[in-house]
Amino acid sequence: MEATTTSLSGLYTIRNLAELLKIPAGWLRSWVNRGWLVPECEVHRLAYFGFEELTVARRLAELRRTG
């Protein structure tokens, strides 16, 4: 979905999520490609994620770390 006049405050890029969760950005990109993470909006092909997806990414990272 393309953002038109949506405020981007409170949204995270893949890089932001990777820094917050201390995981490689490649993990997040693969999860987006598989449909496990869904961006809230995209601006110039840059995906932005909300808090809900942050919690999903946190859980996926935990599962990946534990095997």
Side-chain angles (χ1 to χ4, degrees):
M1 115 184 27
E2 184 71 28
T4 53
T5 58
T6 304
S7 172
L8 298 177
S9 63
L11 297 179
Y12 308 92
T13 63
I14 285 181
R15 184 175 180 178
N16 297 141
L17 292 176
E19 289 174 359
L20 284 170
L21 300 173
K22 296 177 178 43
I23 62 173
W27 289 9
L28 294 161
R29 285 188 202 96
S30 71
W31 298 339
V32 171
N33 291 338
R34 294 175 183 175
W36 297 350
L37 289 178
V38 180
E40 194 165 308
C41 66
E42 289 186 17
V43 178
H44 302 291
R45 295 180 48 198
L46 182 61
Y48 287 88
F49 301 88
F51 182 75
E52 297 82 12
E53 295 301 308
L54 170 62
T55 58
V56 171
R58 180 177 289 135
R59 183 65 179 136
L60 288 170
E62 289 173 7
L63 291 170
R64 171 108 189 225
R65 286 183 183 127
T66 59

